[in-house]
């Protein structure tokens, strides 16, 4: 009989090798992310939070352009003023926070489906991949992924909730009060605290 530990190890290995070709279509990274989300949803709260983080982290760092998202969330001028050691620390905790937020929001499975619309739309040089999460009761959540093509292929640079609300813009507003000129210490501490809270079952 396969043990839960062996099952988790298998899921982590699958997430680590899950990939898409460099010349993929814009929707391919989103499809890979959706598959990983289904994995952690099926694993559920019976699986330790850290194990679900380990499952989702490899694919998240492939799908999302997290360095660009972080810079855009902070703003170019403020980002340039932060010291290199703090930039590295901030990048690390921002990655943890991003993954932890997904793990906390997608923590159970009851037949949900992820549907990617066949048509995309352009926003400047970027392409928007339109997706819907359909619950078992038919309720629908719309998440649109803003994709940018760079070296290495297509990657997510923003998420639009309900097709309009920019996650980067919301995050920039949240970060503004925690950045004191060139000191990112308060923001780093805040994000670390949120990761701990999410892992302990706090509200996403």
């Amino acid at each position: 009989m396969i043990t839960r530990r062996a099952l988790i190890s298998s899921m982590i290995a699958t997430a680590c090798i899950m990939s898409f070709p460099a010349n993929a279509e814009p929707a391919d990274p989103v499809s890979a992310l959706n598959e990983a989300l289904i994995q952690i949803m099926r694993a559920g709260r019976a699986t330790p939070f850290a194990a679900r983080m380990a499952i989702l982290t490899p694919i998240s760092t492939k799908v999302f352009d997290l360095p660009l998202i972080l810079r855009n969330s902070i703003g170019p001028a403020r980002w340039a003023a932060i010291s290199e050691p703090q930039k590295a620390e901030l990048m690390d905790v921002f990655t943890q926070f991003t993954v932890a937020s997904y793990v906390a929001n997608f923590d159970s499975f009851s037949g949900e489906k992820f549907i990617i619309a066949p048509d995309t739309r352009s926003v400047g040089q970027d392409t928007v991949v339109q997706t819907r999460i359909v619950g078992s009761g038919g309720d629908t959540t719309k998440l649109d992924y803003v994709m940018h093509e760079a070296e290495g292929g297509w990657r997510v640079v923003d998420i639009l909730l309900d097709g309009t609300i920019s996650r980067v813009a919301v995050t920039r507003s949240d970060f503004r009060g925690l950045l004191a000129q060139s000191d990112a210490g308060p923001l780093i501490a805040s994000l670390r605290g949120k990761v701990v809270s999410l892992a302990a079952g706090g509200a996403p």
Side-chain angles (χ1 to χ4, degrees):
M1 176 183 293
I2 187 169
T3 65
R4 174 168 286 274
R5 182 184 298 274
L7 179 60
I8 291 170
S9 297
S10 175
M11 293 170 71
I12 292 172
T14 300
C16 287
I17 63 176
M18 191 182 298
S19 62
F20 32 87
N23 60 348
E25 295 296 320
D28 289 345
V30 178
S31 179
L33 175 64
N34 290 345
E35 290 179 24
L37 291 176
I38 291 292
Q39 279 194 346
I40 65 167
M41 290 166 73
R42 288 185 182 277
R45 289 184 289 270
T47 300
F49 195 90
R52 286 176 280 153
M53 286 273 291
I55 293 167
L56 193 59
T57 297
I59 191 65
S60 295
T61 54
K62 288 177 178 291
V63 169
F64 293 94
D65 190 341
L66 290 173
L68 179 60
I69 292 172
L70 178 59
R71 290 197 300 272
N72 288 341
S73 297
I74 289 176
R78 288 191 173 187
W79 177 258
I82 297 172
S83 69
E84 292 303 321
Q86 280 200 331
K87 283 180 181 177
E89 190 175 4
L90 189 52
M91 187 69 251
D92 177 64
V93 72
F94 181 71
T95 300
Q96 293 179 44
F97 171 68
T98 300
V99 177
S101 297
Y102 266 92
V103 172
N105 276 291
F106 295 89
D107 62 354
S108 63
F109 182 76
S110 56
E112 290 84 357
K113 295 180 181 179
F114 292 77
I115 299 174
I116 298 177
D119 298 325
T120 60
R121 70 176 192 269
S122 297
V123 177
Q125 295 182 335
D126 299 330
T127 297
V128 177
V129 174
Q130 303 171 85
T131 72
R132 289 181 295 132
I133 305 171
V134 182
S136 56
D139 52 307
T140 300
T141 301
K142 185 176 182 182
L143 284 178
D144 289 354
Y145 290 87
V146 182
M147 312 297 297
H148 183 77
E149 186 176 25
E151 185 177 353
W154 292 94
R155 301 181 80 184
V156 177
V157 294
D158 199 0
I159 302 172
L160 306 178
L161 181 61
D162 293 329
T164 58
I165 303 171
S166 165
R167 182 60 196 166
V168 168
V170 171
T171 303
R172 186 183 303 120
S173 178
D174 292 342
F175 284 3
R176 186 174 294 121
L178 293 168
L179 284 168
Q181 296 181 349
S182 61
D183 182 15
L187 177 56
I188 292 169
S190 175
L191 290 175
R192 289 201 187 284
K194 289 180 179 180
V195 172
V196 171
S197 176
L198 289 169

